[in-house]
Amino acid sequence: MDSLQDLRARHLDSIAGAETESDLEAARLAAFGRKSGEIGQRLSQLGGMDPGERKRIAPQLNRIKDEILAAIGERKSELAESALDARIAGERQDVTLPGRHRRCGSVHPVSQVIEEVTAIFADLGFEVAEGPQIEEDWYNFDALNIPPEHPARQEHDTFFVRHSAAGDGQPNVLRTHTSPVQIRAMREKGAPIRVIAPGRVYRCDYDQTHTPMFHQIEGLAIDRDISMAHLKWTLEEFCRAFFEVEKAELRFRASHFPFTEPSAEVDLRCSWEDGRLKVGEGDDWMEILGSGMVHPNVLKAGGVDPDQWQGFAFGIGIDRLAMLKYGVPDLRSFFESDIRWLRHYGFHPLDIPALHSGLSR
């Protein structure tokens, strides 16, 4: 009996004195190791004892075994907790120190200009309309009064993709302008209507001022008594707000577009000093957009009666607006994903354009 109690006390002291997990493992092996473990050897000797002695010794030995195993488990938890506390103490940070500057992302100039243009036209009562980028041939050309022989319907100018799902033999195209959205908007909302349609468009062209994919915004206003005067005032207000000047003077030149009649190219009075654009002053004129009164055939295609309603439409290149306002010399750089360029021309993501607080800050 005394021998078992000495055995118990010796192993419990060894376990309690273990300072590391390796010390604890050595104590476990001393007690239960296959070859040298004392508890294990005592248990293996039970089979050679006479039944009376075995009946007396076995319960005591099993209690000691369970007690030592419990002590090992408890000490192991204590060592793990101590190691975690030490690790936490070593990794602790002083949160009272000033924060480190981290560079945040930026808003691309094209996205910025889209937001600016949307804010301006929203103030003028225009809603934003959207349409698919893979467009049906009918919406992209026929509904806009573009004849079959028009050069824009040739493969050297337009990306054709596949035939429409309707199985009518009509091809689908990557839309060449956002003008199809005005057809969809008229067919959905009817008249009167005032919408703008910003988005990506695609054409087979690539140089310093043209890319195969670029951005355009379409404007459409239809009512009973709309005239070119309303168009001129709307565009003047837009240019004044967008370029953030007191006055913007526009010049209308007669032109031809299949979807408007009459049609006009619009020039903006400006000057160039030291390579910088100044709007509203000087003796130079710069073409910025195309516009006109919506052709009756286009109104019919949109489900609007041209005998009761009339309106104007215009189209502006968003990328070109960004180049003019923010001094970007090459259109291709918009799409090259150069992080240095993006950091230079990008905008802070939390500076949301608004007319009351300023469009570009």
Side-chain angles (χ1 to χ4, degrees), residues 18-303:
E19 297 293 336
T20 64
E21 290 191 3
S22 60
D23 292 342
L24 185 62
E25 178 63 11
R28 186 190 70 81
L29 292 175
F32 300 107
R34 181 174 298 180
K35 295 183 179 180
S36 59
E38 289 186 275
I39 305 297
Q41 289 178 358
R42 293 292 184 96
L43 289 170
S44 65
Q45 293 171 2
L46 290 175
M49 295 181 180
D50 62 81
E53 184 71 9
R54 183 170 61 245
K55 185 175 181 181
R56 184 179 68 83
I57 296 297
Q60 299 179 45
L61 195 58
N62 280 320
R63 282 196 297 271
I64 292 172
K65 181 193 72 172
D66 293 340
E67 188 176 357
I68 291 175
L69 287 174
I72 290 173
E74 183 178 352
R75 185 56 181 163
K76 186 175 182 179
S77 298
E78 291 174 354
L79 291 174
E81 186 175 348
S82 297
L84 179 60
D85 290 341
R87 180 182 173 186
I88 291 174
E91 295 178 351
R92 183 171 59 189
Q93 295 182 351
D94 186 354
V95 296
T96 63
L97 293 174
R100 297 177 182 175
H101 173 72
R102 293 181 180 271
R103 187 184 297 276
C104 65
S106 60
V107 175
H108 194 280
V110 170
S111 300
Q112 174 76 11
V113 168
I114 291 176
E115 292 297 325
E116 292 178 8
V117 172
T118 301
I120 294 169
F121 281 108
D123 189 62
L124 296 175
F126 286 75
E127 299 179 61
V128 175
E130 296 181 325
Q133 295 180 48
I134 299 179
E135 187 58 274
E136 296 178 29
D137 183 83
W138 185 83
Y139 281 100
N140 197 78
F141 295 121
D142 295 302
L144 294 168
N145 201 40
I146 299 176
E149 67 277 4
H150 196 279
R153 305 186 74 154
Q154 305 302 312
E155 291 186 354
H156 62 74
D157 196 65
T158 297
F159 293 104
F160 290 85
V161 284
R162 56 177 174 77
H163 284 70
S164 63
D168 54 7
Q170 292 294 319
N172 285 340
V173 300
L174 294 179
R175 65 184 183 189
T176 59
H177 42 195
T178 51
S179 301
V181 180
Q182 68 173 268
I183 302 296
R184 293 181 176 274
M186 284 190 287
R187 292 168 72 90
E188 177 183 352
K189 301 177 181 295
I193 186 174
R194 275 185 288 183
V195 295
I196 56 170
R200 296 185 182 94
V201 297
Y202 306 85
R203 294 180 192 173
C204 298
D205 210 348
Y206 188 72
D207 57 36
Q208 187 174 357
T209 57
H210 300 85
T211 56
M213 186 278 290
F214 55 101
H215 300 80
Q216 195 179 69
I217 185 166
E218 181 84 9
L220 173 71
I222 296 176
D223 212 318
R224 296 194 182 275
D225 298 313
I226 285 184
S227 67
M228 289 287 286
H230 297 101
L231 170 63
K232 185 174 185 293
W233 179 87
T234 299
L235 295 178
E236 285 177 346
E237 286 298 300
F238 164 73
C239 290
R240 185 185 60 79
F242 179 76
F243 291 105
E244 299 178 80
V245 295
E246 292 295 327
K247 179 181 179 182
E249 184 178 349
L250 300 180
R251 180 179 68 180
F252 282 63
R253 291 181 289 106
S255 185
H256 170 73
F257 304 113
F259 29 82
T260 54
E261 181 59 40
S263 303
E265 298 276 7
V266 179
D267 301 332
L268 176 66
R269 180 182 290 278
C270 64
S271 66
W272 294 90
E273 294 182 9
D274 300 325
R276 298 187 63 182
L277 173 68
K278 291 190 175 181
V279 173
E281 59 182 60
D283 298 323
D284 294 330
W285 295 91
M286 177 178 58
E287 178 187 327
I288 58 170
L289 59 91
S291 64
M293 299 298 292
V294 181
H295 197 288
N297 291 344
V298 175
L299 292 175
K300 290 178 183 178

